Amino acid sequence: MKRAVKAIYPGSFDPITNGHIYIAERAASIFDEVRVSVLVNSQKRSTFSVDERCSMAREALSYLPNVTVGHFQGLLVDYLRCEESRVIIRGLRAMSDFEYEFQMALMNRQLAPEIETFFIVTDPQYSYISSSVIRDIFQFGGSVHDVVPPGVFRRLRERFPPQTPQTPQRNPAGEQRKTEGGAP
Ligand code: COA
């Protein structure tokens, strides 16, 4: 009997974005099971707790029956072995991702030769987004509707309640120069 192939899609997911969902969806159309695995990283300060990140991911991916969500700490390859998986999924947004991903894939192969990394290219509309970019844009009042699922948008609003819109700061030096010249 053919064994089901389980793939692990690891990342920080702080929070999950439509770019991540796109990768998970494509992986789910190829592999029997995809486990989106949230990294518990004590060295990286995250905006959302592991539980929050998992629950946002779970909610956003609930429409994909063969996708599950979990979390892990320690070495990724050890986690894969525990999960009895030999497949790592990583998304590629731009050439700039490649060098880092290539190094990580080689390192993981060195640690665990039986494990293979598969890269999935993102949709161009998500090639410029990342979780921190989304958090920044949201905090300064920019629109992120198109790039995060509704549940994430709700959590962002709870975490960063809307503030009174502020007039962008003017450059005082520029202001002075204008007055000196007498121009309106
Ligand atoms: N769409 C949108 N954003 C994406 C994306 C996509 N398709 N793919 C990546 N990103 C963004 C993420 O949002 C994140 O943005 P941020 O830095 O603004 O938060 C950034 O790219 C980094 O992606 P992420 O997937 O979170 O990678 P990472 O480098 O933080 O973690 C792990 C990668 C979890 C695979 C790696 O750290 C790991 O394996 N850790 C365990 C320890 C280990 O085994 N180390 C040895 C590995 S060689």
Side-chain angles (χ1 to χ4, degrees):
M1 206 175 80
K2 191 178 151 272
R3 257 187 89 188
V5 180
K6 185 203 259 188
I8 302 291
Y9 178 24
S12 307
F13 303 107
D14 187 31
I16 192 162
T17 69
N18 289 351
H20 295 125
I21 293 166
Y22 180 84
I23 302 293
E25 192 177 310
R26 290 192 78 91
S29 72
I30 294 166
F31 297 100
D32 300 304
E33 184 186 340
V34 175
R35 189 151 178 83
V36 170
S37 303
V38 176
L39 174 68
V40 182
N41 186 351
S42 52
Q43 270 142 32
K44 195 171 167 181
R45 241 188 100 201
S46 57
T47 301
F48 294 101
S49 69
V50 176
D51 286 347
E52 287 172 319
R53 285 182 273 156
C54 286
S55 101
M56 283 186 275
R58 223 166 260 131
E59 187 185 326
L61 297 164
S62 58
Y63 72 103
L64 295 168
N66 61 336
V67 176
T68 57
V69 177
H71 58 85
F72 76 103
Q73 50 191 326
L75 277 184
L76 178 60
V77 293
D78 289 342
Y79 172 69
L80 264 91
R81 283 170 173 158
C82 285
E83 288 285 322
E84 296 185 358
S85 167
R86 293 177 49 209
V87 176
I88 298 170
I89 302 291
R90 293 291 289 167
L92 282 181
R93 291 165 299 170
M95 275 308 287
S96 49
D97 280 345
F98 183 74
E99 209 170 318
Y100 171 67
E101 294 296 338
F102 188 62
Q103 184 190 18
M104 206 154 59
L106 288 179
M107 193 64 230
N108 283 327
R109 180 180 292 169
Q110 178 70 23
L111 292 167
E114 78 281 11
I115 290 173
E116 205 62 69
T117 302
F118 285 73
F119 295 108
I120 297 180
V121 173
T122 190
D123 188 285
Q125 64 175 313
Y126 303 129
S127 61
Y128 60 93
I129 61 168
S130 76
S131 302
S132 54
V133 162
I134 285 171
R135 292 193 310 261
D136 282 353
I137 293 173
F138 186 86
Q139 284 185 73
F140 293 109
S143 167
V144 297
H145 270 106
D146 295 348
V147 286
V148 293
V152 169
F153 187 78
R154 206 177 52 240
R155 297 273 186 143
L156 283 168
R157 223 173 23 202
E158 286 164 12
R159 183 57 46 92
F160 308 110
Q163 293 171 359
T164 322
Q166 288 177 2
T167 319
Q169 287 286 313
R170 285 190 177 150
N171 172 356
E175 197 64 3
Q176 202 178 4
R177 235 177 279 127
K178 253 195 213 165
T179 335
E180 279 164 6

mmCIF file of all heavy atoms in Angstrom, residues 12-16 38-54 56 130-139 152-161:
data_model
loop_
_atom_site.group_PDB
_atom_site.id
_atom_site.type_symbol
_atom_site.label_atom_id
_atom_site.label_comp_id
_atom_site.label_asym_id
_atom_site.label_seq_id
_atom_site.Cartn_x
_atom_site.Cartn_y
_atom_site.Cartn_z
ATOM 1 N N SER A 12 7.761 31.346 11.132
ATOM 2 C CA SER A 12 7.386 32.089 12.339
ATOM 3 C C SER A 12 5.887 32.410 12.342
ATOM 4 O O SER A 12 5.270 32.469 13.400
ATOM 5 C CB SER A 12 8.171 33.392 12.432
ATOM 6 O OG SER A 12 9.545 33.130 12.313
ATOM 7 N N PHE A 13 5.338 32.687 11.175
ATOM 8 C CA PHE A 13 3.898 32.975 11.020
ATOM 9 C C PHE A 13 3.413 33.983 12.066
ATOM 10 O O PHE A 13 2.471 33.724 12.807
ATOM 11 C CB PHE A 13 3.077 31.679 11.075
ATOM 12 C CG PHE A 13 3.472 30.658 10.047
ATOM 13 C CD1 PHE A 13 4.169 29.507 10.414
ATOM 14 C CD2 PHE A 13 3.196 30.855 8.700
ATOM 15 C CE1 PHE A 13 4.568 28.566 9.462
ATOM 16 C CE2 PHE A 13 3.587 29.925 7.740
ATOM 17 C CZ PHE A 13 4.267 28.776 8.128
ATOM 18 N N ASP A 14 4.035 35.141 12.090
ATOM 19 C CA ASP A 14 3.767 36.139 13.141
ATOM 20 C C ASP A 14 3.230 37.452 12.560
ATOM 21 O O ASP A 14 3.923 38.469 12.667
ATOM 22 C CB ASP A 14 5.073 36.372 13.924
ATOM 23 C CG ASP A 14 4.854 37.249 15.139
ATOM 24 O OD1 ASP A 14 3.754 37.208 15.708
ATOM 25 O OD2 ASP A 14 5.780 37.978 15.520
ATOM 26 N N PRO A 15 2.085 37.485 11.957
ATOM 27 C CA PRO A 15 1.087 36.427 11.801
ATOM 28 C C PRO A 15 1.145 35.799 10.398
ATOM 29 O O PRO A 15 1.890 36.262 9.537
ATOM 30 C CB PRO A 15 -0.223 37.219 11.938
ATOM 31 C CG PRO A 15 0.102 38.518 11.255
ATOM 32 C CD PRO A 15 1.564 38.794 11.525
ATOM 33 N N ILE A 16 0.281 34.790 10.221
ATOM 34 C CA ILE A 16 0.147 34.171 8.892
ATOM 35 C C ILE A 16 -0.437 35.213 7.930
ATOM 36 O O ILE A 16 -1.235 36.064 8.339
ATOM 37 C CB ILE A 16 -0.743 32.905 8.969
ATOM 38 C CG1 ILE A 16 -0.656 32.103 7.673
ATOM 39 C CG2 ILE A 16 -2.214 33.240 9.321
ATOM 40 C CD1 ILE A 16 -1.120 30.668 7.797
ATOM 41 N N VAL A 38 4.533 26.149 13.440
ATOM 42 C CA VAL A 38 4.938 27.455 13.964
ATOM 43 C C VAL A 38 6.164 27.277 14.861
ATOM 44 O O VAL A 38 6.139 26.477 15.808
ATOM 45 C CB VAL A 38 3.766 28.083 14.763
ATOM 46 C CG1 VAL A 38 4.189 29.391 15.405
ATOM 47 C CG2 VAL A 38 2.548 28.280 13.858
ATOM 48 N N LEU A 39 7.198 28.055 14.552
ATOM 49 C CA LEU A 39 8.438 27.955 15.336
ATOM 50 C C LEU A 39 8.307 28.690 16.668
ATOM 51 O O LEU A 39 7.916 29.854 16.714
ATOM 52 C CB LEU A 39 9.590 28.572 14.526
ATOM 53 C CG LEU A 39 10.934 28.690 15.261
ATOM 54 C CD1 LEU A 39 11.540 27.320 15.523
ATOM 55 C CD2 LEU A 39 11.903 29.541 14.459
ATOM 56 N N VAL A 40 8.647 27.996 17.744
ATOM 57 C CA VAL A 40 8.723 28.626 19.063
ATOM 58 C C VAL A 40 10.171 29.056 19.216
ATOM 59 O O VAL A 40 11.046 28.220 19.412
ATOM 60 C CB VAL A 40 8.365 27.617 20.181
ATOM 61 C CG1 VAL A 40 8.399 28.292 21.543
ATOM 62 C CG2 VAL A 40 7.020 26.963 19.919
ATOM 63 N N ASN A 41 10.415 30.352 19.065
ATOM 64 C CA ASN A 41 11.799 30.834 19.063
ATOM 65 C C ASN A 41 11.992 31.845 20.189
ATOM 66 O O ASN A 41 11.532 32.988 20.084
ATOM 67 C CB ASN A 41 12.114 31.474 17.700
ATOM 68 C CG ASN A 41 13.567 31.858 17.573
ATOM 69 O OD1 ASN A 41 14.311 31.799 18.556
ATOM 70 N ND2 ASN A 41 13.974 32.248 16.383
ATOM 71 N N SER A 42 12.684 31.426 21.231
ATOM 72 C CA SER A 42 12.844 32.312 22.390
ATOM 73 C C SER A 42 13.782 33.475 22.075
ATOM 74 O O SER A 42 13.795 34.482 22.770
ATOM 75 C CB SER A 42 13.359 31.509 23.584
ATOM 76 O OG SER A 42 14.492 30.788 23.196
ATOM 77 N N GLN A 43 14.572 33.345 20.977
ATOM 78 C CA GLN A 43 15.518 34.427 20.650
ATOM 79 C C GLN A 43 14.896 35.529 19.781
ATOM 80 O O GLN A 43 15.437 36.608 19.673
ATOM 81 C CB GLN A 43 16.730 33.854 19.922
ATOM 82 C CG GLN A 43 17.809 33.445 20.899
ATOM 83 C CD GLN A 43 18.500 32.177 20.467
ATOM 84 O OE1 GLN A 43 18.633 31.915 19.283
ATOM 85 N NE2 GLN A 43 18.932 31.381 21.422
ATOM 86 N N LYS A 44 13.749 35.232 19.175
ATOM 87 C CA LYS A 44 13.111 36.234 18.309
ATOM 88 C C LYS A 44 11.869 36.736 19.030
ATOM 89 O O LYS A 44 10.984 35.930 19.381
ATOM 90 C CB LYS A 44 12.736 35.583 16.972
ATOM 91 C CG LYS A 44 12.398 36.574 15.874
ATOM 92 C CD LYS A 44 12.252 35.837 14.530
ATOM 93 C CE LYS A 44 11.624 36.701 13.462
ATOM 94 N NZ LYS A 44 11.448 36.007 12.195
ATOM 95 N N ARG A 45 11.817 38.045 19.288
ATOM 96 C CA ARG A 45 10.633 38.597 19.976
ATOM 97 C C ARG A 45 9.466 38.616 19.014
ATOM 98 O O ARG A 45 9.535 39.221 17.952
ATOM 99 C CB ARG A 45 10.931 40.016 20.470
ATOM 100 C CG ARG A 45 10.797 40.091 21.988
ATOM 101 C CD ARG A 45 10.890 41.488 22.502
ATOM 102 N NE ARG A 45 9.583 42.040 22.775
ATOM 103 C CZ ARG A 45 9.350 43.335 22.851
ATOM 104 N NH1 ARG A 45 10.317 44.196 22.634
ATOM 105 N NH2 ARG A 45 8.142 43.772 23.144
ATOM 106 N N SER A 46 8.401 37.925 19.385
ATOM 107 C CA SER A 46 7.277 37.880 18.454
ATOM 108 C C SER A 46 6.148 38.784 18.944
ATOM 109 O O SER A 46 6.034 39.070 20.131
ATOM 110 C CB SER A 46 6.797 36.440 18.299
ATOM 111 O OG SER A 46 6.462 35.931 19.555
ATOM 112 N N THR A 47 5.326 39.215 18.007
ATOM 113 C CA THR A 47 4.183 40.064 18.355
ATOM 114 C C THR A 47 3.066 39.222 18.942
ATOM 115 O O THR A 47 2.424 39.604 19.910
ATOM 116 C CB THR A 47 3.681 40.790 17.075
ATOM 117 O OG1 THR A 47 4.766 41.555 16.584
ATOM 118 C CG2 THR A 47 2.509 41.689 17.365
ATOM 119 N N PHE A 48 2.842 38.058 18.357
ATOM 120 C CA PHE A 48 1.771 37.173 18.820
ATOM 121 C C PHE A 48 2.376 35.939 19.487
ATOM 122 O O PHE A 48 3.436 35.466 19.074
ATOM 123 C CB PHE A 48 0.892 36.752 17.641
ATOM 124 C CG PHE A 48 0.119 37.900 17.040
ATOM 125 C CD1 PHE A 48 0.563 38.509 15.865
ATOM 126 C CD2 PHE A 48 -1.028 38.398 17.641
ATOM 127 C CE1 PHE A 48 -0.129 39.580 15.309
ATOM 128 C CE2 PHE A 48 -1.735 39.465 17.097
ATOM 129 C CZ PHE A 48 -1.279 40.052 15.927
ATOM 130 N N SER A 49 1.665 35.439 20.503
ATOM 131 C CA SER A 49 2.148 34.238 21.193
ATOM 132 C C SER A 49 2.030 33.038 20.245
ATOM 133 O O SER A 49 1.339 33.116 19.221
ATOM 134 C CB SER A 49 1.311 33.980 22.452
ATOM 135 O OG SER A 49 0.015 33.585 22.062
ATOM 136 N N VAL A 50 2.653 31.950 20.626
ATOM 137 C CA VAL A 50 2.585 30.740 19.794
ATOM 138 C C VAL A 50 1.129 30.299 19.655
ATOM 139 O O VAL A 50 0.680 29.933 18.561
ATOM 140 C CB VAL A 50 3.424 29.607 20.425
ATOM 141 C CG1 VAL A 50 3.281 28.331 19.635
ATOM 142 C CG2 VAL A 50 4.867 30.010 20.486
ATOM 143 N N ASP A 51 0.382 30.348 20.766
ATOM 144 C CA ASP A 51 -1.026 29.928 20.703
ATOM 145 C C ASP A 51 -1.822 30.811 19.748
ATOM 146 O O ASP A 51 -2.646 30.314 18.976
ATOM 147 C CB ASP A 51 -1.673 29.984 22.096
ATOM 148 C CG ASP A 51 -1.189 28.841 22.970
ATOM 149 O OD1 ASP A 51 -0.574 27.899 22.412
ATOM 150 O OD2 ASP A 51 -1.408 28.890 24.190
ATOM 151 N N GLU A 52 -1.558 32.117 19.814
ATOM 152 C CA GLU A 52 -2.280 33.038 18.912
ATOM 153 C C GLU A 52 -1.906 32.761 17.454
ATOM 154 O O GLU A 52 -2.774 32.728 16.585
ATOM 155 C CB GLU A 52 -1.937 34.494 19.256
ATOM 156 C CG GLU A 52 -2.574 34.977 20.546
ATOM 157 C CD GLU A 52 -2.059 36.352 20.968
ATOM 158 O OE1 GLU A 52 -0.836 36.610 20.842
ATOM 159 O OE2 GLU A 52 -2.857 37.157 21.439
ATOM 160 N N ARG A 53 -0.619 32.554 17.205
ATOM 161 C CA ARG A 53 -0.173 32.309 15.827
ATOM 162 C C ARG A 53 -0.781 31.011 15.289
ATOM 163 O O ARG A 53 -1.226 30.949 14.151
ATOM 164 C CB ARG A 53 1.354 32.252 15.764
ATOM 165 C CG ARG A 53 1.984 33.638 15.876
ATOM 166 C CD ARG A 53 3.473 33.576 15.772
ATOM 167 N NE ARG A 53 4.134 33.347 17.038
ATOM 168 C CZ ARG A 53 5.329 32.816 17.187
ATOM 169 N NH1 ARG A 53 6.005 32.423 16.136
ATOM 170 N NH2 ARG A 53 5.869 32.669 18.378
ATOM 171 N N CYS A 54 -0.823 29.991 16.167
ATOM 172 C CA CYS A 54 -1.414 28.709 15.733
ATOM 173 C C CYS A 54 -2.904 28.877 15.476
ATOM 174 O O CYS A 54 -3.425 28.380 14.479
ATOM 175 C CB CYS A 54 -1.211 27.628 16.800
ATOM 176 S SG CYS A 54 0.471 27.028 16.884
ATOM 177 N N MET A 56 -4.606 31.564 14.666
ATOM 178 C CA MET A 56 -4.864 32.331 13.433
ATOM 179 C C MET A 56 -4.635 31.450 12.195
ATOM 180 O O MET A 56 -5.397 31.501 11.235
ATOM 181 C CB MET A 56 -3.950 33.562 13.372
ATOM 182 C CG MET A 56 -4.395 34.685 14.271
ATOM 183 S SD MET A 56 -3.401 36.176 14.058
ATOM 184 C CE MET A 56 -2.017 35.844 15.133
ATOM 185 N N SER A 130 5.684 40.601 3.962
ATOM 186 C CA SER A 130 6.200 39.738 5.018
ATOM 187 C C SER A 130 5.400 40.097 6.264
ATOM 188 O O SER A 130 4.741 41.140 6.303
ATOM 189 C CB SER A 130 7.692 39.978 5.248
ATOM 190 O OG SER A 130 7.869 41.178 5.962
ATOM 191 N N SER A 131 5.477 39.276 7.279
ATOM 192 C CA SER A 131 4.672 39.513 8.483
ATOM 193 C C SER A 131 5.015 40.853 9.115
ATOM 194 O O SER A 131 4.128 41.602 9.528
ATOM 195 C CB SER A 131 4.905 38.387 9.483
ATOM 196 O OG SER A 131 4.572 37.158 8.894
ATOM 197 N N SER A 132 6.315 41.183 9.185
ATOM 198 C CA SER A 132 6.667 42.448 9.855
ATOM 199 C C SER A 132 6.248 43.659 9.030
ATOM 200 O O SER A 132 5.834 44.674 9.587
ATOM 201 C CB SER A 132 8.155 42.494 10.193
ATOM 202 O OG SER A 132 8.915 42.259 9.053
ATOM 203 N N VAL A 133 6.310 43.545 7.710
ATOM 204 C CA VAL A 133 5.855 44.651 6.856
ATOM 205 C C VAL A 133 4.361 44.895 7.106
ATOM 206 O O VAL A 133 3.917 46.040 7.261
ATOM 207 C CB VAL A 133 6.130 44.316 5.361
ATOM 208 C CG1 VAL A 133 5.303 45.179 4.438
ATOM 209 C CG2 VAL A 133 7.605 44.491 5.047
ATOM 210 N N ILE A 134 3.615 43.827 7.200
ATOM 211 C CA ILE A 134 2.167 43.953 7.438
ATOM 212 C C ILE A 134 1.890 44.593 8.800
ATOM 213 O O ILE A 134 1.058 45.486 8.932
ATOM 214 C CB ILE A 134 1.487 42.574 7.293
ATOM 215 C CG1 ILE A 134 1.403 42.254 5.812
ATOM 216 C CG2 ILE A 134 0.110 42.556 7.940
ATOM 217 C CD1 ILE A 134 0.977 40.873 5.481
ATOM 218 N N ARG A 135 2.625 44.164 9.809
ATOM 219 C CA ARG A 135 2.429 44.752 11.153
ATOM 220 C C ARG A 135 2.734 46.242 11.128
ATOM 221 O O ARG A 135 1.993 47.053 11.675
ATOM 222 C CB ARG A 135 3.326 44.047 12.183
ATOM 223 C CG ARG A 135 2.932 42.607 12.443
ATOM 224 C CD ARG A 135 3.643 42.090 13.688
ATOM 225 N NE ARG A 135 5.068 42.334 13.694
ATOM 226 C CZ ARG A 135 6.006 41.445 13.366
ATOM 227 N NH1 ARG A 135 5.654 40.232 12.977
ATOM 228 N NH2 ARG A 135 7.284 41.747 13.435
ATOM 229 N N ASP A 136 3.822 46.615 10.452
ATOM 230 C CA ASP A 136 4.208 48.036 10.368
ATOM 231 C C ASP A 136 3.135 48.846 9.649
ATOM 232 O O ASP A 136 2.717 49.893 10.117
ATOM 233 C CB ASP A 136 5.524 48.204 9.597
ATOM 234 C CG ASP A 136 6.713 47.848 10.464
ATOM 235 O OD1 ASP A 136 6.501 47.608 11.667
ATOM 236 O OD2 ASP A 136 7.833 47.795 9.937
ATOM 237 N N ILE A 137 2.713 48.356 8.491
ATOM 238 C CA ILE A 137 1.718 49.097 7.705
ATOM 239 C C ILE A 137 0.450 49.277 8.533
ATOM 240 O O ILE A 137 -0.109 50.366 8.619
ATOM 241 C CB ILE A 137 1.400 48.356 6.380
ATOM 242 C CG1 ILE A 137 2.626 48.367 5.474
ATOM 243 C CG2 ILE A 137 0.219 48.999 5.667
ATOM 244 C CD1 ILE A 137 2.474 47.529 4.222
ATOM 245 N N PHE A 138 0.029 48.201 9.200
ATOM 246 C CA PHE A 138 -1.211 48.277 9.992
ATOM 247 C C PHE A 138 -1.088 49.305 11.110
ATOM 248 O O PHE A 138 -1.981 50.129 11.311
ATOM 249 C CB PHE A 138 -1.554 46.893 10.563
ATOM 250 C CG PHE A 138 -2.876 46.901 11.255
ATOM 251 C CD1 PHE A 138 -4.047 46.699 10.538
ATOM 252 C CD2 PHE A 138 -2.969 47.155 12.609
ATOM 253 C CE1 PHE A 138 -5.283 46.745 11.160
ATOM 254 C CE2 PHE A 138 -4.204 47.206 13.248
ATOM 255 C CZ PHE A 138 -5.358 46.999 12.521
ATOM 256 N N GLN A 139 0.030 49.271 11.817
ATOM 257 C CA GLN A 139 0.200 50.182 12.956
ATOM 258 C C GLN A 139 0.156 51.643 12.551
ATOM 259 O O GLN A 139 -0.241 52.496 13.320
ATOM 260 C CB GLN A 139 1.536 49.915 13.647
ATOM 261 C CG GLN A 139 1.503 48.674 14.496
ATOM 262 C CD GLN A 139 2.807 48.516 15.249
ATOM 263 O OE1 GLN A 139 3.078 49.231 16.197
ATOM 264 N NE2 GLN A 139 3.616 47.583 14.811
ATOM 265 N N VAL A 152 -6.917 37.359 10.980
ATOM 266 C CA VAL A 152 -5.657 38.042 11.308
ATOM 267 C C VAL A 152 -5.911 39.544 11.394
ATOM 268 O O VAL A 152 -5.407 40.224 12.289
ATOM 269 C CB VAL A 152 -4.567 37.711 10.262
ATOM 270 C CG1 VAL A 152 -3.352 38.601 10.432
ATOM 271 C CG2 VAL A 152 -4.172 36.247 10.359
ATOM 272 N N PHE A 153 -6.725 40.033 10.485
ATOM 273 C CA PHE A 153 -7.046 41.468 10.507
ATOM 274 C C PHE A 153 -7.689 41.829 11.849
ATOM 275 O O PHE A 153 -7.335 42.825 12.474
ATOM 276 C CB PHE A 153 -7.995 41.798 9.348
ATOM 277 C CG PHE A 153 -8.241 43.268 9.201
ATOM 278 C CD1 PHE A 153 -7.289 44.088 8.605
ATOM 279 C CD2 PHE A 153 -9.400 43.841 9.690
ATOM 280 C CE1 PHE A 153 -7.500 45.454 8.491
ATOM 281 C CE2 PHE A 153 -9.617 45.203 9.579
ATOM 282 C CZ PHE A 153 -8.671 46.012 8.978
ATOM 283 N N ARG A 154 -8.582 40.972 12.312
ATOM 284 C CA ARG A 154 -9.273 41.197 13.606
ATOM 285 C C ARG A 154 -8.256 41.229 14.748
ATOM 286 O O ARG A 154 -8.271 42.113 15.590
ATOM 287 C CB ARG A 154 -10.273 40.055 13.805
ATOM 288 C CG ARG A 154 -11.438 40.412 14.690
ATOM 289 C CD ARG A 154 -12.430 39.269 14.802
ATOM 290 N NE ARG A 154 -11.831 37.994 15.186
ATOM 291 C CZ ARG A 154 -11.875 36.891 14.446
ATOM 292 N NH1 ARG A 154 -12.486 36.892 13.284
ATOM 293 N NH2 ARG A 154 -11.300 35.775 14.869
ATOM 294 N N ARG A 155 -7.343 40.266 14.737
ATOM 295 C CA ARG A 155 -6.330 40.211 15.817
ATOM 296 C C ARG A 155 -5.396 41.411 15.776
ATOM 297 O O ARG A 155 -4.982 41.908 16.803
ATOM 298 C CB ARG A 155 -5.474 38.957 15.690
ATOM 299 C CG ARG A 155 -6.222 37.681 15.844
ATOM 300 C CD ARG A 155 -6.316 37.267 17.294
ATOM 301 N NE ARG A 155 -6.922 35.958 17.368
ATOM 302 C CZ ARG A 155 -6.592 35.018 18.218
ATOM 303 N NH1 ARG A 155 -5.658 35.249 19.117
ATOM 304 N NH2 ARG A 155 -7.195 33.858 18.206
ATOM 305 N N LEU A 156 -5.073 41.854 14.566
ATOM 306 C CA LEU A 156 -4.202 43.034 14.456
ATOM 307 C C LEU A 156 -4.907 44.245 15.062
ATOM 308 O O LEU A 156 -4.302 45.050 15.761
ATOM 309 C CB LEU A 156 -3.862 43.314 12.985
ATOM 310 C CG LEU A 156 -2.812 42.417 12.338
ATOM 311 C CD1 LEU A 156 -2.788 42.606 10.819
ATOM 312 C CD2 LEU A 156 -1.413 42.691 12.914
ATOM 313 N N ARG A 157 -6.222 44.334 14.822
ATOM 314 C CA ARG A 157 -6.980 45.477 15.352
ATOM 315 C C ARG A 157 -7.044 45.429 16.875
ATOM 316 O O ARG A 157 -6.978 46.437 17.548
ATOM 317 C CB ARG A 157 -8.376 45.490 14.761
ATOM 318 C CG ARG A 157 -8.771 46.892 14.359
ATOM 319 C CD ARG A 157 -10.055 46.989 13.635
ATOM 320 N NE ARG A 157 -10.950 45.889 13.880
ATOM 321 C CZ ARG A 157 -11.928 45.534 13.064
ATOM 322 N NH1 ARG A 157 -12.123 46.216 11.969
ATOM 323 N NH2 ARG A 157 -12.719 44.524 13.340
ATOM 324 N N GLU A 158 -7.152 44.199 17.413
ATOM 325 C CA GLU A 158 -7.174 44.064 18.884
ATOM 326 C C GLU A 158 -5.812 44.430 19.472
ATOM 327 O O GLU A 158 -5.713 45.067 20.500
ATOM 328 C CB GLU A 158 -7.503 42.623 19.278
ATOM 329 C CG GLU A 158 -8.960 42.261 19.083
ATOM 330 C CD GLU A 158 -9.197 40.751 19.092
ATOM 331 O OE1 GLU A 158 -8.279 39.974 19.478
ATOM 332 O OE2 GLU A 158 -10.292 40.357 18.687
ATOM 333 N N ARG A 159 -4.754 43.997 18.790
ATOM 334 C CA ARG A 159 -3.403 44.223 19.310
ATOM 335 C C ARG A 159 -2.961 45.675 19.147
ATOM 336 O O ARG A 159 -2.300 46.239 19.985
ATOM 337 C CB ARG A 159 -2.425 43.282 18.574
ATOM 338 C CG ARG A 159 -0.972 43.317 19.034
ATOM 339 C CD ARG A 159 -0.801 43.024 20.509
ATOM 340 N NE ARG A 159 -1.552 41.882 20.977
ATOM 341 C CZ ARG A 159 -1.112 40.639 21.041
ATOM 342 N NH1 ARG A 159 0.110 40.379 20.692
ATOM 343 N NH2 ARG A 159 -1.887 39.670 21.502
ATOM 344 N N PHE A 160 -3.356 46.277 18.036
ATOM 345 C CA PHE A 160 -2.973 47.675 17.758
ATOM 346 C C PHE A 160 -4.233 48.494 17.517
ATOM 347 O O PHE A 160 -4.590 48.764 16.370
ATOM 348 C CB PHE A 160 -2.072 47.755 16.515
ATOM 349 C CG PHE A 160 -0.876 46.838 16.557
ATOM 350 C CD1 PHE A 160 -0.791 45.730 15.719
ATOM 351 C CD2 PHE A 160 0.172 47.075 17.439
ATOM 352 C CE1 PHE A 160 0.302 44.879 15.746
ATOM 353 C CE2 PHE A 160 1.278 46.230 17.471
ATOM 354 C CZ PHE A 160 1.345 45.130 16.629
ATOM 355 N N PRO A 161 -4.945 48.870 18.607
ATOM 356 C CA PRO A 161 -6.205 49.591 18.417
ATOM 357 C C PRO A 161 -5.986 50.876 17.616
ATOM 358 O O PRO A 161 -4.938 51.511 17.762
ATOM 359 C CB PRO A 161 -6.654 49.919 19.844
ATOM 360 C CG PRO A 161 -5.819 49.098 20.735
ATOM 361 C CD PRO A 161 -4.565 48.739 20.003
#
